[in-house]
Amino acid sequence: MLKQRILTAVCLLPLALAGLFLLEGGGFALFTGVVVLLAAWEWTNLAALSRLSARLACTAALGLAMVLLWLGGGDRAEGLLWLGAAAWLANLYWVTHYPARQAQWATPARRLAMGLLVLLPCWVGFNSLRASGAEWLLFVLLLVWLADTGAYFAGRAFGRRKLAPAVSPGKSWEGVVGGVVATLALALGYAAWLSLGLSETLCLLVATGVVTLVSVLGDLVESMLKRTRGIKDSGVLLPGHGGVLDRIDSLTAAIPVFALLRVWL
């Protein structure tokens, strides 16, 4: 398993970095669109769709929505970012009330709607951040990685109080604090690198704290859906790593929220 994980990472990491930081405009939108559509394909499984035709149709519908947004100039629409933020508030409610409120979203149609409100704003957020400069896209990618890394080590060392035992028993509040500390250090380093003023630095610190917490929620939402579906991984597209959605679950929350905060601030 470890050998598979390493080989997959070695093969995909250069491709991912090239797509994220060398492509611009339509090429970047296409690259991120393909990633989001692969995640959408896996989401149809989380929504308990079993027929191949239904899964293909739902994935194609999201692809069509992205094409129409691109042609209409709405691929960086702030309104969709706000819609995505509202959806994450609803997801927060469902995660904190799982499984008591499971019936509110458990039907396949509602799970598909949940996926649309997660994945489409994520794609819009990618485009918005890339248009504002590669440094901010790099920042949010590093933020998610450091949040996950800090949470892992802090949770291993100090984890006592469970964060969401009904959804993901391995996560702890101490791990969340470790992730926040790591990402705030990143924000301070970024502020120094970009020579930001005091007010700009404070805004970045606030945004970083919020997005770090939201990235944890992205992970929890996917865990909740997988637990409901009775599966371990969202898919098998990445040998040793599970599915695409397993790798970008935190990003699906962090990207649109950070893009919105950047526009707003």
Side-chain angles (χ1 to χ4, degrees):
M1 178 64 74
L2 179 59
K3 182 179 179 180
Q4 273 190 328
R5 289 176 67 90
I6 294 173
L7 287 175
T8 301
V10 167
C11 293
L12 291 183
L13 185 59
L15 176 63
L17 292 176
L20 290 171
F21 297 107
L22 298 182
L23 296 176
E24 297 182 33
F28 180 82
L30 178 61
F31 175 79
T32 52
V34 169
V35 174
V36 169
L37 287 177
L38 290 173
W41 169 257
E42 295 172 353
W43 197 291
T44 60
N45 180 40
L46 295 180
L49 294 186
S50 56
R51 291 173 52 196
L52 178 62
S53 58
R55 296 184 66 188
L56 287 172
C58 290
T59 305
L62 178 60
L64 178 60
M66 290 191 289
V67 170
L68 293 176
L69 278 173
W70 175 261
L71 294 177
D75 53 293
R76 298 191 294 274
E78 187 178 339
L80 281 172
L81 297 177
W82 279 109
L83 183 62
W88 283 108
L89 286 176
N91 289 336
L92 174 61
Y93 174 80
W94 287 324
V95 165
T96 55
H97 290 80
Y98 181 83
R101 299 291 185 268
Q102 183 178 354
Q104 295 179 351
W105 53 266
T107 65
R110 291 176 183 177
R111 274 185 266 181
L112 288 174
M114 185 190 299
L116 177 65
L117 294 175
V118 166
L119 296 176
L120 189 57
C122 177
W123 179 74
V124 171
F126 265 119
N127 291 323
S128 178
L129 287 175
R130 187 65 181 89
S132 66
E135 66 272 11
W136 291 114
L137 178 60
L138 175 63
F139 176 79
V140 73
L141 293 174
L142 289 173
L143 183 153
V144 169
W145 178 71
L146 280 174
D148 185 61
T149 303
Y152 174 79
F153 286 107
R156 285 283 299 268
F158 309 109
R160 297 293 183 273
R161 292 172 293 180
K162 299 298 183 182
L163 175 64
V167 175
S168 184
K171 288 184 171 53
S172 67
W173 282 105
E174 290 82 1
V176 173
V177 172
V180 171
V181 170
T183 57
L184 291 180
L186 169 68
L188 289 173
Y190 236 72
W193 176 47
L194 297 176
S195 300
L196 300 183
L198 178 60
S199 62
E200 293 170 315
T201 300
L202 290 175
C203 287
L204 181 60
L205 288 170
V206 172
T208 297
V210 171
V211 175
T212 301
L213 296 176
V214 170
S215 73
V216 176
L217 178 60
D219 190 316
L220 290 174
V221 166
E222 197 214 1
S223 296
M224 179 179 71
L225 290 168
K226 289 191 294 187
R227 185 170 293 275
T228 299
R229 189 74 172 90
I231 57 178
K232 180 182 177 183
D233 298 317
S234 64
V236 294
L237 290 175
L238 303 178
H241 290 266
V244 171
L245 197 54
D246 292 322
R247 301 277 64 82
I248 69 167
D249 51 3
S250 297
L251 279 174
T252 60
I255 287 285
V257 172
F258 184 77
L260 179 61
L261 290 174
R262 170 155 168 72
V263 170
W264 182 56
L265 293 172

